[in-house]
């Protein structure tokens, strides 16, 4: 996302011109709000916010897909039953029954 330097304002300027900044954000121009000469926040329109949210969802999906692909590629086909694993840890599955 590119930011026009004209869309950067201090908190004070922002607070005095909120409606102007909101209008700019609605028009697709993100508004950077500075505090102590450092970027503190960004005001953006809902369309941009929804797009960013969708990108975050796609990033999460890509991470899960990558993990699945790594597992597929590195899978050696070894499988273990629950009773075998429990036995390795000295757990009797019959003692875990819920009454």
């Amino acid at each position: 996302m590119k930011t026009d330097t004209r869309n950067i304002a201090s908190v004070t300027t922002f607070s005095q011109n909120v409606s102007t900044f909101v209008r700019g954000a609605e028009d697709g121009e993100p508004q950077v709000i500075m505090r102590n000469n450092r970027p503190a926040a960004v005001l953006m329109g809902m369309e941009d916010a929804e797009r960013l949210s969708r990108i975050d969802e796609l990033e999460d999906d890509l991470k899960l897909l990558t993990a699945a692909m790594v597992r597929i590629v590195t899978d050696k086909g070894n499988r273990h039953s629950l009773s075998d694993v429990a036995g390795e840890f000295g757990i009797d599955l019959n003692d875990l029954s819920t009454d």
Side-chain angles (χ1 to χ4, degrees):
M1 176 182 327
K2 295 181 182 178
T3 302
D4 188 335
T5 56
R6 293 173 293 182
N7 299 337
I8 299 174
S10 67
V11 171
T12 303
T13 302
F14 174 76
S15 66
Q16 294 168 350
N17 302 287
V18 172
S19 63
T20 301
F21 286 96
V22 169
R23 198 173 311 113
E26 285 176 325
D27 292 341
E29 300 171 5
Q31 310 294 313
V32 177
I33 304 160
M34 307 287 282
R35 176 179 289 162
N36 299 323
N37 293 321
R38 300 185 74 182
V42 174
L43 177 67
M44 68 175 66
M46 284 306 299
E47 188 175 306
D48 288 339
E50 289 168 354
R51 183 175 55 83
L52 188 57
S53 178
R54 181 66 183 134
I55 289 170
D56 285 344
E57 290 174 9
L58 290 171
E59 181 183 24
D60 290 342
D61 291 348
L62 186 57
K63 287 177 183 176
L64 290 173
L65 177 62
T66 301
M69 294 299 291
V70 166
R71 288 179 183 164
I72 289 169
V73 169
T74 60
D75 182 19
K76 296 192 178 8
N78 299 333
R79 300 294 183 265
H80 306 279
S81 69
L82 177 60
S83 58
D84 289 342
V85 173
E88 284 287 322
F89 288 98
I91 298 171
D92 184 351
L93 295 177
N94 293 325
D95 294 341
L96 301 178
S97 65
T98 56
D99 295 323

